[in-house]
Coordinates of all heavy atoms in Angstrom, one line a residue:
M221 N 10.9 22.1 -24.7 CA 10.4 21.1 -23.8 C 8.9 21.1 -24.1 O 8.2 22.1 -24.0 CB 10.6 21.4 -22.4 CG 9.9 20.7 -21.4 SD 10.2 21.0 -19.7 CE 10.0 22.8 -19.6
T222 N 8.3 19.9 -24.4 CA 6.9 19.7 -24.6 C 6.4 18.6 -23.6 O 7.0 17.6 -23.5 CB 6.6 19.2 -26.0 OG1 7.1 20.2 -26.9 CG2 5.1 19.1 -26.2
I223 N 5.4 18.9 -22.9 CA 4.9 18.0 -21.8 C 3.6 17.4 -22.3 O 2.6 18.1 -22.3 CB 4.7 18.8 -20.5 CG1 6.1 19.3 -20.0 CG2 4.2 17.8 -19.5 CD1 6.0 20.2 -18.9
T224 N 3.6 16.2 -22.8 CA 2.4 15.6 -23.3 C 2.2 14.2 -22.6 O 1.1 13.7 -22.7 CB 2.5 15.3 -24.8 OG1 3.7 14.6 -25.1 CG2 2.5 16.7 -25.5
E225 N 3.2 13.6 -22.0 CA 3.0 12.3 -21.4 C 2.2 12.4 -20.1 O 2.0 13.5 -19.5 CB 4.4 11.8 -21.0 CG 5.3 11.6 -22.2 CD 6.7 11.2 -21.8 OE1 6.9 10.7 -20.7 OE2 7.6 11.4 -22.6
K226 N 1.7 11.3 -19.6 CA 0.9 11.2 -18.4 C 1.8 11.6 -17.2 O 1.3 12.2 -16.3 CB 0.3 9.9 -18.2 CG -0.7 9.5 -19.2 CD -2.1 9.9 -18.7 CE -3.1 9.4 -19.8 NZ -4.3 10.2 -19.7
E227 N 3.0 11.2 -17.2 CA 3.9 11.5 -16.1 C 5.3 11.9 -16.6 O 5.8 11.2 -17.5 CB 4.0 10.2 -15.2 CG 4.0 10.6 -13.7 CD 3.9 9.4 -12.8 OE1 2.9 8.8 -12.8 OE2 4.9 9.1 -12.1
T228 N 5.8 13.0 -16.1 CA 7.0 13.5 -16.6 C 7.9 13.9 -15.4 O 7.3 14.3 -14.4 CB 6.8 14.8 -17.5 OG1 5.9 14.5 -18.5 CG2 8.1 15.3 -18.1
H229 N 9.2 13.7 -15.5 CA 10.1 14.1 -14.4 C 11.1 15.0 -15.1 O 11.8 14.6 -16.0 CB 10.7 12.9 -13.8 CG 11.5 13.1 -12.6 ND1 11.0 13.2 -11.4 CD2 12.9 13.4 -12.5 CE1 12.0 13.4 -10.5 NE2 13.1 13.5 -11.2
I230 N 11.2 16.3 -14.6 CA 12.2 17.2 -15.1 C 13.1 17.7 -14.1 O 12.7 18.0 -12.9 CB 11.4 18.5 -15.7 CG1 10.4 18.1 -16.7 CG2 12.4 19.5 -16.3 CD1 9.4 19.2 -17.1
M231 N 14.4 17.7 -14.4 CA 15.4 18.2 -13.4 C 16.1 19.4 -14.1 O 16.6 19.3 -15.2 CB 16.4 17.2 -13.0 CG 17.4 17.6 -12.0 SD 18.5 16.4 -11.4 CE 17.4 15.3 -10.5
F232 N 16.1 20.5 -13.4 CA 16.8 21.7 -13.8 C 18.0 22.0 -12.9 O 17.8 21.9 -11.7 CB 15.8 22.9 -13.8 CG 14.7 22.9 -14.7 CD1 13.4 22.6 -14.2 CD2 14.8 23.2 -16.0 CE1 12.3 22.6 -15.1 CE2 13.8 23.2 -16.9 CZ 12.5 22.9 -16.4
S233 N 19.1 22.4 -13.5 CA 20.1 22.9 -12.6 C 20.5 24.3 -13.2 O 20.4 24.5 -14.4 CB 21.3 22.0 -12.6 OG 21.9 21.9 -13.9
S234 N 20.9 25.2 -12.3 CA 21.3 26.5 -12.7 C 22.8 26.7 -12.5 O 23.5 25.8 -12.2 CB 20.5 27.5 -11.9 OG 20.8 27.4 -10.5
D235 N 23.2 27.9 -12.8 CA 24.7 28.2 -12.6 C 25.1 28.0 -11.2 O 26.2 27.6 -10.9 CB 25.0 29.6 -13.1 CG 24.8 29.7 -14.6 OD1 24.9 28.7 -15.3 OD2 24.6 30.9 -15.1
S236 N 24.2 28.2 -10.3 CA 24.5 28.0 -8.9 C 24.4 26.5 -8.6 O 24.2 25.7 -9.4 CB 23.6 28.8 -8.0 OG 22.3 28.3 -8.0
E237 N 24.5 26.2 -7.3 CA 24.4 24.8 -6.9 C 23.0 24.3 -6.8 O 22.7 23.1 -6.6 CB 25.1 24.6 -5.6 CG 26.6 25.0 -5.6 CD 27.5 23.8 -6.1 OE1 27.2 22.7 -5.8 OE2 28.5 24.1 -6.7
N238 N 22.0 25.2 -6.9 CA 20.6 24.8 -6.7 C 20.1 23.9 -7.9 O 20.4 24.2 -9.0 CB 19.7 26.1 -6.6 CG 20.0 26.8 -5.4 OD1 20.6 26.3 -4.4 ND2 19.6 28.1 -5.3
I239 N 19.4 22.9 -7.5 CA 18.7 22.0 -8.5 C 17.2 22.0 -8.2 O 16.9 21.8 -7.0 CB 19.3 20.6 -8.4 CG1 20.8 20.6 -8.9 CG2 18.5 19.7 -9.3 CD1 21.5 19.3 -8.8
L240 N 16.4 22.2 -9.2 CA 15.0 22.1 -9.0 C 14.5 20.9 -9.8 O 14.7 20.9 -11.0 CB 14.3 23.4 -9.5 CG 12.8 23.4 -9.3 CD1 12.4 23.4 -7.8 CD2 12.1 24.7 -9.9
D241 N 13.9 20.0 -9.1 CA 13.3 18.8 -9.7 C 11.8 19.0 -9.7 O 11.2 19.5 -8.8 CB 13.7 17.7 -8.7 CG 13.8 16.4 -9.4 OD1 13.6 16.3 -10.6 OD2 14.1 15.4 -8.6
I242 N 11.2 18.7 -10.9 CA 9.7 18.9 -11.0 C 9.1 17.6 -11.5 O 9.5 17.1 -12.6 CB 9.4 20.1 -11.9 CG1 10.0 21.4 -11.5 CG2 7.8 20.2 -12.0 CD1 9.9 22.5 -12.4
E243 N 8.2 17.1 -10.7 CA 7.4 15.9 -11.2 C 6.1 16.4 -11.7 O 5.5 17.3 -11.1 CB 7.1 14.9 -10.0 CG 8.4 14.3 -9.5 CD 8.1 13.4 -8.3 OE1 6.9 13.2 -7.9 OE2 9.1 12.9 -7.7
I244 N 5.7 16.0 -12.9 CA 4.4 16.4 -13.5 C 3.6 15.2 -13.8 O 4.0 14.3 -14.5 CB 4.7 17.2 -14.8 CG1 5.6 18.4 -14.5 CG2 3.4 17.7 -15.4 CD1 6.1 19.1 -15.7
R245 N 2.3 15.3 -13.3 CA 1.3 14.2 -13.7 C 0.2 14.9 -14.4 O -0.3 15.9 -14.0 CB 0.8 13.6 -12.4 CG 1.8 12.7 -11.7 CD 1.2 11.9 -10.6 NE 0.4 12.7 -9.7 CZ 0.8 13.4 -8.6 NH1 2.0 13.4 -8.3 NH2 -0.1 14.0 -7.9
N246 N -0.2 14.3 -15.6 CA -1.2 14.9 -16.4 C -2.4 13.9 -16.6 O -2.1 12.7 -16.7 CB -0.6 15.1 -17.8 CG 0.0 16.5 -18.0 OD1 -0.7 17.5 -17.7 ND2 1.2 16.5 -18.5
D247 N -3.6 14.4 -16.6 CA -4.7 13.7 -17.2 C -5.5 14.6 -18.1 O -5.0 15.7 -18.4 CB -5.5 13.0 -16.1 CG -6.3 14.0 -15.2 OD1 -6.5 15.1 -15.6 OD2 -6.6 13.6 -14.0
D248 N -6.6 14.3 -18.5 CA -7.4 15.1 -19.5 C -7.7 16.5 -18.9 O -7.7 17.5 -19.7 CB -8.6 14.4 -19.9 CG -8.3 13.2 -20.7 OD1 -7.2 13.1 -21.3 OD2 -9.2 12.3 -20.8
Q249 N -8.1 16.6 -17.6 CA -8.5 17.9 -17.1 C -7.6 18.6 -16.1 O -7.7 19.7 -15.9 CB -9.9 17.6 -16.3 CG -11.0 17.0 -17.2 CD -11.4 18.0 -18.3 OE1 -11.5 19.2 -18.1 NE2 -11.6 17.5 -19.5
T250 N -6.6 17.8 -15.6 CA -5.8 18.4 -14.5 C -4.3 18.0 -14.7 O -4.0 16.9 -15.2 CB -6.2 17.8 -13.2 OG1 -7.6 18.1 -13.0 CG2 -5.5 18.4 -12.0
A251 N -3.4 18.9 -14.4 CA -2.0 18.7 -14.3 C -1.5 19.0 -12.9 O -1.9 20.0 -12.3 CB -1.2 19.5 -15.3
V252 N -0.7 18.1 -12.3 CA -0.2 18.3 -11.0 C 1.3 18.5 -11.2 O 2.0 17.6 -11.7 CB -0.5 17.2 -10.1 CG1 0.1 17.4 -8.7 CG2 -2.0 16.9 -9.9
L253 N 1.8 19.7 -10.7 CA 3.3 19.9 -10.7 C 3.8 19.8 -9.3 O 3.2 20.5 -8.4 CB 3.6 21.3 -11.3 CG 3.5 21.4 -12.8 CD1 2.1 21.6 -13.3 CD2 4.4 22.6 -13.2
K254 N 4.8 19.1 -9.1 CA 5.4 18.9 -7.7 C 6.8 19.3 -7.8 O 7.7 18.5 -8.1 CB 5.2 17.5 -7.2 CG 5.7 17.3 -5.8 CD 5.5 15.9 -5.3 CE 6.0 15.8 -3.9 NZ 5.9 14.4 -3.4
P255 N 7.2 20.6 -7.5 CA 8.6 21.0 -7.5 C 9.2 20.4 -6.2 O 8.5 20.3 -5.2 CB 8.5 22.5 -7.4 CG 7.1 22.9 -7.2 CD 6.3 21.7 -7.3
I256 N 10.5 19.9 -6.3 CA 11.2 19.4 -5.2 C 12.5 20.1 -5.0 O 13.3 20.2 -5.9 CB 11.5 17.9 -5.5 CG1 10.2 17.1 -5.7 CG2 12.3 17.3 -4.3 CD1 10.4 15.7 -6.3
G257 N 12.6 20.8 -3.9 CA 13.7 21.7 -3.6 C 13.4 23.1 -3.4 O 12.2 23.5 -3.5
D258 N 14.4 23.9 -3.2 CA 14.1 25.4 -2.9 C 13.7 26.0 -4.2 O 14.2 25.7 -5.3 CB 15.4 26.0 -2.4 CG 15.8 25.6 -1.0 OD1 15.0 25.0 -0.4 OD2 17.0 25.8 -0.6
I259 N 12.8 27.0 -4.1 CA 12.5 27.8 -5.3 C 12.9 29.2 -5.0 O 12.4 29.9 -4.1 CB 10.9 27.8 -5.5 CG1 10.5 26.4 -5.8 CG2 10.6 28.7 -6.7 CD1 9.0 26.3 -5.9
D260 N 13.9 29.7 -5.7 CA 14.5 31.0 -5.5 C 14.8 31.6 -6.9 O 14.4 31.1 -7.9 CB 15.8 30.9 -4.6 CG 16.8 30.0 -5.2 OD1 16.8 29.8 -6.4 OD2 17.7 29.6 -4.4
M261 N 15.5 32.7 -6.9 CA 15.7 33.5 -8.1 C 16.4 32.6 -9.2 O 16.2 32.8 -10.4 CB 16.6 34.7 -7.8 CG 16.1 36.0 -8.4 SD 16.9 37.4 -7.7 CE 18.6 37.2 -8.2
S262 N 17.3 31.7 -8.8 CA 18.0 30.9 -9.7 C 17.1 29.8 -10.4 O 17.4 29.3 -11.5 CB 19.2 30.3 -9.1 OG 18.9 29.3 -8.1
C263 N 16.1 29.4 -9.7 CA 15.2 28.3 -10.2 C 13.9 28.7 -10.7 O 13.2 28.0 -11.4 CB 15.0 27.3 -9.1 SG 16.5 26.5 -8.5
S264 N 13.4 29.9 -10.3 CA 12.0 30.3 -10.6 C 11.8 30.4 -12.2 O 10.7 30.0 -12.6 CB 11.6 31.5 -9.9 OG 12.4 32.6 -10.2
P265 N 12.8 30.8 -13.0 CA 12.5 30.8 -14.4 C 12.2 29.4 -15.0 O 11.4 29.2 -15.9 CB 13.8 31.3 -15.0 CG 14.4 32.1 -13.9 CD 14.1 31.4 -12.7
Q266 N 12.9 28.3 -14.4 CA 12.6 27.0 -14.9 C 11.2 26.5 -14.5 O 10.5 25.9 -15.2 CB 13.7 26.0 -14.3 CG 15.1 26.2 -14.9 CD 15.9 27.3 -14.2 OE1 15.4 27.8 -13.2 NE2 17.0 27.6 -14.7
L267 N 10.8 26.9 -13.3 CA 9.5 26.6 -12.8 C 8.4 27.3 -13.7 O 7.4 26.7 -14.1 CB 9.3 27.0 -11.4 CG 7.9 26.7 -10.8 CD1 7.5 25.2 -10.9 CD2 7.8 27.2 -9.3
R268 N 8.7 28.5 -14.0 CA 7.8 29.3 -14.9 C 7.7 28.6 -16.3 O 6.6 28.5 -16.8 CB 8.4 30.7 -15.1 CG 7.5 31.6 -15.9 CD 8.1 33.1 -16.0 NE 7.9 33.7 -14.7 CZ 8.8 34.1 -13.9 NH1 10.1 34.0 -14.2 NH2 8.6 34.7 -12.8
T269 N 8.8 28.1 -16.8 CA 8.8 27.4 -18.1 C 7.9 26.1 -18.0 O 7.1 25.9 -18.9 CB 10.2 27.0 -18.5 OG1 11.0 28.3 -18.7 CG2 10.3 26.3 -19.8
A270 N 8.1 25.4 -16.9 CA 7.3 24.1 -16.8 C 5.8 24.4 -16.7 O 5.0 23.7 -17.3 CB 7.8 23.4 -15.5
I271 N 5.5 25.5 -15.9 CA 4.1 25.8 -15.8 C 3.5 26.3 -17.2 O 2.4 25.9 -17.6 CB 3.9 26.9 -14.7 CG1 4.2 26.4 -13.3 CG2 2.4 27.5 -14.8 CD1 4.3 27.5 -12.3
A272 N 4.3 27.1 -17.9 CA 3.8 27.5 -19.2 C 3.6 26.4 -20.2 O 2.7 26.4 -21.0 CB 4.8 28.6 -19.8
Q273 N 4.5 25.4 -20.1 CA 4.4 24.3 -21.0 C 3.2 23.4 -20.7 O 2.6 22.8 -21.6 CB 5.7 23.4 -21.0 CG 6.9 24.1 -21.6 CD 6.7 24.3 -23.1 OE1 6.1 23.5 -23.8 NE2 7.1 25.5 -23.5
V274 N 2.8 23.4 -19.5 CA 1.6 22.6 -19.1 C 0.3 23.4 -19.5 O -0.6 22.9 -20.0 CB 1.5 22.4 -17.6 CG1 0.2 21.9 -17.1 CG2 2.6 21.4 -17.2
Q275 N 0.4 24.8 -19.4 CA -0.7 25.6 -19.8 C -0.9 25.7 -21.3 O -2.1 25.8 -21.7 CB -0.6 27.0 -19.2 CG -0.8 27.1 -17.7 CD -0.5 28.5 -17.2 OE1 0.4 29.2 -17.6 NE2 -1.3 28.9 -16.2
K276 N 0.1 25.7 -22.0 CA 0.1 25.9 -23.5 C -0.8 25.0 -24.3 O -1.7 25.5 -25.0 CB 1.5 25.9 -24.0 CG 1.6 26.3 -25.5 CD 2.9 26.2 -26.1 CE 3.8 27.4 -25.8 NZ 5.1 27.3 -26.4
P277 N -0.7 23.7 -24.2 CA -1.5 22.9 -25.1 C -3.0 22.8 -24.7 O -3.8 22.6 -25.6 CB -0.8 21.5 -25.0 CG -0.1 21.5 -23.7 CD 0.3 22.9 -23.5
H278 N -3.3 23.0 -23.5 CA -4.7 22.9 -23.0 C -4.9 24.1 -22.1 O -4.9 24.0 -20.9 CB -4.9 21.6 -22.2 CG -4.6 20.4 -23.0 ND1 -5.3 20.0 -24.1 CD2 -3.5 19.6 -23.0 CE1 -4.8 18.9 -24.6 NE2 -3.7 18.6 -24.0
P279 N -5.3 25.3 -22.7 CA -5.4 26.5 -21.8 C -6.5 26.4 -20.7 O -6.4 27.1 -19.7 CB -5.8 27.5 -22.9 CG -5.5 27.0 -24.2 CD -5.5 25.5 -24.1
S280 N -7.5 25.5 -20.9 CA -8.5 25.4 -19.9 C -8.2 24.4 -18.8 O -9.0 24.1 -17.9 CB -9.9 25.1 -20.5 OG -9.8 23.9 -21.2
K281 N -7.0 23.7 -18.9 CA -6.7 22.7 -18.0 C -6.5 23.3 -16.5 O -5.9 24.3 -16.4 CB -5.4 22.0 -18.4 CG -5.0 20.8 -17.5 CD -3.7 20.1 -18.1 CE -4.2 19.1 -19.0 NZ -3.2 18.0 -19.3
R282 N -6.9 22.5 -15.6 CA -6.7 22.9 -14.2 C -5.3 22.5 -13.8 O -4.9 21.4 -14.0 CB -7.8 22.2 -13.3 CG -7.7 22.5 -11.9 CD -8.8 21.7 -11.1 NE -8.6 21.9 -9.7 CZ -9.0 21.0 -8.8 NH1 -9.6 19.9 -9.2 NH2 -8.8 21.2 -7.6
I283 N -4.6 23.4 -13.1 CA -3.2 23.1 -12.6 C -3.1 23.1 -11.1 O -3.6 24.1 -10.5 CB -2.2 24.1 -13.3 CG1 -2.3 24.0 -14.8 CG2 -0.8 23.9 -12.8 CD1 -1.5 25.0 -15.5
I284 N -2.6 22.1 -10.6 CA -2.4 22.0 -9.1 C -0.9 22.0 -8.9 O -0.1 21.3 -9.6 CB -3.0 20.7 -8.5 CG1 -4.5 20.8 -8.7 CG2 -2.6 20.6 -7.0 CD1 -5.2 19.4 -8.4
I285 N -0.4 22.9 -8.0 CA 1.0 22.9 -7.7 C 1.2 22.5 -6.3 O 0.7 23.1 -5.3 CB 1.6 24.3 -7.9 CG1 1.4 24.7 -9.4 CG2 3.1 24.4 -7.6 CD1 1.7 26.2 -9.7
D286 N 1.8 21.3 -6.1 CA 2.0 20.7 -4.8 C 3.3 21.1 -4.2 O 4.4 20.8 -4.7 CB 2.0 19.1 -5.0 CG 2.2 18.4 -3.7 OD1 2.5 19.0 -2.6 OD2 2.2 17.1 -3.8
L287 N 3.3 21.9 -3.2 CA 4.5 22.5 -2.6 C 5.0 21.8 -1.3 O 5.8 22.3 -0.6 CB 4.2 24.0 -2.2 CG 3.9 24.9 -3.4 CD1 3.6 26.3 -2.9 CD2 5.1 25.0 -4.3
A288 N 4.5 20.5 -1.1 CA 4.9 19.8 0.0 C 6.4 19.5 0.1 O 7.0 19.4 1.2 CB 4.2 18.4 0.1
A289 N 7.1 19.4 -1.0 CA 8.5 19.1 -1.0 C 9.4 20.4 -1.3 O 10.5 20.3 -1.7 CB 8.8 18.1 -2.1
V290 N 8.8 21.6 -1.0 CA 9.5 22.8 -1.2 C 9.8 23.4 0.2 O 8.9 24.0 0.9 CB 8.7 23.9 -2.0 CG1 9.5 25.2 -2.1 CG2 8.5 23.3 -3.4
P291 N 11.1 23.3 0.7 CA 11.4 23.8 2.1 C 11.5 25.3 2.1 O 11.4 25.9 3.2 CB 12.7 23.1 2.4 CG 13.3 22.7 1.1 CD 12.2 22.5 0.2
Y292 N 11.8 25.9 1.0 CA 12.1 27.4 1.0 C 11.6 28.0 -0.4 O 11.9 27.4 -1.4 CB 13.6 27.7 1.2 CG 13.9 29.1 1.0 CD1 13.7 30.1 2.0 CD2 14.5 29.6 -0.2 CE1 14.0 31.4 1.8 CE2 14.8 30.9 -0.4 CZ 14.6 31.8 0.6 OH 14.8 33.1 0.4
M293 N 11.0 29.1 -0.3 CA 10.6 29.8 -1.5 C 10.8 31.3 -1.3 O 10.3 31.8 -0.3 CB 9.2 29.5 -2.0 CG 8.8 30.2 -3.2 SD 7.2 29.7 -3.9 CE 6.2 29.3 -2.5
D294 N 11.5 32.0 -2.2 CA 11.6 33.5 -2.0 C 10.5 34.2 -2.9 O 9.7 33.5 -3.4 CB 13.0 33.9 -2.4 CG 13.4 33.9 -3.8 OD1 12.5 33.5 -4.7 OD2 14.6 34.1 -4.2
S295 N 10.6 35.5 -2.9 CA 9.6 36.3 -3.6 C 9.5 36.0 -5.1 O 8.5 36.1 -5.7 CB 9.8 37.8 -3.3 OG 11.0 38.2 -3.8
S296 N 10.6 35.5 -5.7 CA 10.6 35.2 -7.1 C 9.7 34.0 -7.4 O 9.0 33.9 -8.4 CB 12.0 35.0 -7.7 OG 12.6 33.9 -7.1
G297 N 9.7 33.1 -6.5 CA 8.8 31.9 -6.6 C 7.3 32.3 -6.4 O 6.5 31.9 -7.2
V298 N 7.1 33.2 -5.5 CA 5.7 33.7 -5.3 C 5.3 34.4 -6.6 O 4.1 34.3 -7.0 CB 5.6 34.6 -4.1 CG1 4.2 35.2 -4.0 CG2 5.9 33.8 -2.8
A299 N 6.1 35.3 -7.1 CA 5.8 36.0 -8.4 C 5.5 35.0 -9.5 O 4.6 35.3 -10.3 CB 7.0 36.9 -8.7
T300 N 6.2 33.9 -9.6 CA 6.0 32.9 -10.6 C 4.5 32.4 -10.5 O 3.8 32.2 -11.5 CB 7.0 31.8 -10.5 OG1 8.3 32.3 -10.7 CG2 6.7 30.7 -11.5
F301 N 4.1 32.1 -9.3 CA 2.8 31.6 -9.1 C 1.7 32.6 -9.3 O 0.6 32.3 -9.9 CB 2.6 31.0 -7.6 CG 3.5 29.8 -7.4 CD1 4.2 29.7 -6.2 CD2 3.6 28.8 -8.4 CE1 5.0 28.6 -6.0 CE2 4.4 27.7 -8.1 CZ 5.1 27.6 -7.0
V302 N 2.0 33.9 -9.0 CA 1.0 35.0 -9.3 C 0.9 35.1 -10.8 O -0.3 35.2 -11.3 CB 1.5 36.3 -8.6 CG1 0.6 37.5 -9.1 CG2 1.4 36.2 -7.1
E303 N 2.0 35.1 -11.5 CA 1.9 35.2 -13.0 C 1.1 34.0 -13.6 O 0.3 34.2 -14.5 CB 3.3 35.2 -13.5 CG 3.4 35.3 -15.0 CD 4.8 35.2 -15.6 OE1 5.7 35.5 -14.8 OE2 5.0 34.8 -16.7
A304 N 1.4 32.8 -13.1 CA 0.6 31.6 -13.6 C -0.9 31.7 -13.3 O -1.7 31.4 -14.1 CB 1.2 30.3 -12.9
M305 N -1.2 32.3 -12.1 CA -2.6 32.5 -11.8 C -3.3 33.5 -12.7 O -4.4 33.3 -13.2 CB -2.7 32.9 -10.3 CG -4.2 33.1 -9.9 SD -4.3 33.9 -8.2 CE -3.7 35.6 -8.7
Q306 N -2.6 34.6 -13.0 CA -3.1 35.6 -13.9 C -3.3 35.1 -15.3 O -4.4 35.3 -15.9 CB -2.2 36.8 -14.0 CG -2.2 37.6 -12.7 CD -1.1 38.7 -12.6 OE1 -0.1 38.5 -13.3 NE2 -1.3 39.7 -11.8
I307 N -2.4 34.3 -15.8 CA -2.5 33.7 -17.1 C -3.7 32.7 -17.1 O -4.5 32.7 -18.1 CB -1.2 33.0 -17.6 CG1 -0.1 34.0 -17.8 CG2 -1.5 32.1 -18.8 CD1 1.3 33.4 -18.0
A308 N -3.8 31.9 -16.1 CA -4.9 31.0 -16.0 C -6.3 31.7 -15.9 O -7.2 31.3 -16.6 CB -4.8 30.1 -14.8
R309 N -6.3 32.7 -15.2 CA -7.6 33.5 -15.1 C -8.0 34.1 -16.4 O -9.1 34.0 -16.8 CB -7.4 34.6 -14.0 CG -8.7 35.4 -13.8 CD -8.6 36.4 -12.7 NE -7.3 37.2 -12.9 CZ -6.7 37.8 -11.9 NH1 -7.2 37.8 -10.7 NH2 -5.6 38.5 -12.2
D310 N -7.0 34.6 -17.2 CA -7.3 35.1 -18.5 C -7.8 34.0 -19.5 O -8.6 34.3 -20.4 CB -6.1 35.7 -19.2 CG -5.6 37.0 -18.5 OD1 -6.5 37.6 -17.7 OD2 -4.5 37.4 -18.7
R311 N -7.4 32.8 -19.2 CA -7.8 31.6 -20.1 C -9.0 30.9 -19.5 O -9.3 29.8 -19.9 CB -6.7 30.7 -20.2 CG -5.5 31.3 -21.0 CD -4.4 30.3 -21.0 NE -3.3 30.9 -21.8 CZ -2.2 30.3 -22.1 NH1 -2.0 29.1 -21.7 NH2 -1.2 30.9 -22.8
K312 N -9.6 31.4 -18.4 CA -10.8 30.8 -17.8 C -10.4 29.4 -17.2 O -11.1 28.5 -17.2 CB -11.9 30.6 -18.7 CG -12.3 31.9 -19.5 CD -13.0 32.8 -18.5 CE -13.7 34.0 -19.4 NZ -13.0 35.2 -19.2
S313 N -9.2 29.4 -16.6 CA -8.7 28.2 -16.0 C -8.4 28.4 -14.5 O -8.7 29.5 -14.0 CB -7.4 27.7 -16.7 OG -6.9 26.5 -16.2
V314 N -7.8 27.5 -13.8 CA -7.5 27.6 -12.4 C -6.2 27.1 -12.1 O -5.8 26.0 -12.6 CB -8.6 26.8 -11.6 CG1 -8.3 26.9 -10.1 CG2 -10.0 27.3 -11.8
V315 N -5.4 27.8 -11.3 CA -4.1 27.3 -10.8 C -4.3 27.3 -9.2 O -4.7 28.2 -8.6 CB -2.9 28.2 -11.1 CG1 -1.7 27.8 -10.4 CG2 -2.7 28.2 -12.6

């Protein structure tokens, strides 16, 4: 998965019934990721992949994660955001 378009819509489904939908908006300096649905152990790897794909081509890009449409998140989701923040900090970026 390569994220280069201005607006992208990604839907992930896991072995369980959980589906994580992620809307991504890009411009030159900022990417906004909006996950829609629960973020738990079954979905956090897909969210991690989407964040990494946004960070990869432009390491200094600012990333905003809009959690308005996330009704529930377990510790694996929090760990995903901590990891993204650490990677961004190493690259002199912001999540």
